[in-house]
Structure formats: structure tokens, C-alpha cells
Amino acid sequence: MKTIVTFGTFDVFHIGHLNILERARSLGDRLVVGLSSDEFSWRKKGRYPVFSEGERIRLLEALRCVDVVFLEHSLEEKRRYLLEQEADVLVMGDDWQGKFDEFQDICDVVYLPRTPSISTTAVIEKIRL
Ligand code: C2G
């Protein structure tokens, strides 16, 4: 059983999110998602997500490619999360390229290319206009 772990906010769920989750899942047998809590998102991005953590958890849990969702409360706890979830592979988008190489002692670390031309911010802007 090969466990893949990935992290993110996944706010205003879009095709770039689905692409990375499906590609991550295809690298193993089980996909675990560490979902940024509302408070962590606030500290990371200076704004609260559009959708609450409870809503974002439900959206992710309903996807076929996602097996388990847990809340990520801080970047500093990443090593503990990876050990707890028994991660074989950590997958992140390449906007995080190199940032998580320190965990190569406990799992493989893979950065997948981001889907071009889409982001939560771009979607929000498009709706605003
Ligand atoms: N993503 C992507 N293509 C896009 C947009 C996002 O592949 N067009 C990927 C990101 O690279 C990330 C995942 O989707 O791997 C989730 O994106 P965000 O919700 O923006 O995640 P972020 O807030 O960067 O959180 O500890 C790390 C952080 O929690 C990552």
C-alpha cells in the first residue's frame, strides 16, 4: 500500500486542483490531503478562504481520487503529519519547488507542474468583473 500525501487550501475548487489531486493519486494506492485550516490560511495568505474548512473538507472527501482529509494547522508540523500518515510520497505543485526537500529522509518528494492560467485568485477576479 503506497500512501501519497499532499497539502493545500483548495479554496474555490477548480480544475487545477482536480488535476494535481488526480495526478497525485495515480502515483500510489491511497491519497491523503492535508487541508489548510481557516486560521492557517489566514496566517499564510492574509485572508480567510471563501469556503470554510468544513465545506472544503466535504468537497475534497466527495472526490473519488481522495481517500482521507485532515486539517493542516501549520507549516512547522509537516514532518509530524507525514510520519503520522505514513507517507511514502509527498506531492506538491511546482510553485513549491525545492521547499520541502528536507523531508526526503522520510519519503519521496515530488513536485508536479501546475495547471497553467488558473488560480483561486484568478477565478475570484473573473467573477468580480
Ligand atoms: N495547483 C495546481 N495548479 C493550479 C493551482 C494550484 O497544480 N493552477 C496546486 C498547487 O500547486 C498546490 C495545490 O494545487 O499543490 C493546492 O493549491 P493551493 O490551495 O493554492 O495550496 P497552497 O495554499 O499553496 O497550500 O503546506 C503547503 C500549503 O498548504 C500549500
Side-chain angles (χ1 to χ4, degrees):
M1 174 69 80
K2 192 169 175 183
T3 298
I4 315 297
V5 176
T6 193
F7 294 89
T9 314
F10 299 99
D11 188 28
V12 187
F13 196 84
H14 59 65
I15 200 72
H17 295 144
L18 186 60
N19 284 338
I20 196 159
L21 292 173
E22 286 186 339
R23 282 181 295 163
R25 176 64 178 74
S26 74
L27 299 177
D29 307 300
R30 178 172 169 263
L31 177 62
V32 178
V33 181
L35 182 75
S36 304
S37 69
D38 291 341
E39 290 306 321
F40 176 38
S41 302
W42 166 257
R43 293 201 305 276
K44 199 166 49 170
K45 299 190 175 172
R47 65 168 176 80
Y48 282 104
V50 174
F51 294 121
S52 71
E53 60 194 29
E55 291 166 330
R56 290 180 290 118
I57 286 175
R58 285 195 54 204
L59 287 162
L60 288 182
E61 280 180 345
L63 297 175
R64 252 198 312 263
C65 57
V66 172
D67 296 284
V68 177
V69 183
F70 70 90
L71 278 179
E72 177 187 30
H73 294 285
S74 81
L75 271 181
E76 290 69 39
E77 290 174 275
K78 197 149 260 140
R79 178 171 293 272
R80 180 171 68 76
Y81 295 135
L82 291 169
L83 290 170
E84 268 175 15
Q85 299 298 333
E86 301 184 341
D88 294 298
V89 187
L90 167 61
V91 170
M92 292 300 299
D94 62 4
D95 45 327
W96 292 90
Q97 187 70 47
K99 297 267 166 50
F100 297 117
D101 289 355
E102 65 191 277
F103 304 120
Q104 275 163 348
D105 58 332
I106 53 169
C107 60
D108 291 339
V109 180
V110 174
Y111 303 96
L112 295 176
R114 275 171 72 94
T115 302
S117 318
I118 185 146
S119 67
T120 297
T121 312
V123 173
I124 293 171
E125 284 303 310
K126 197 168 173 180
I127 293 168
R128 255 203 198 121
L129 292 173

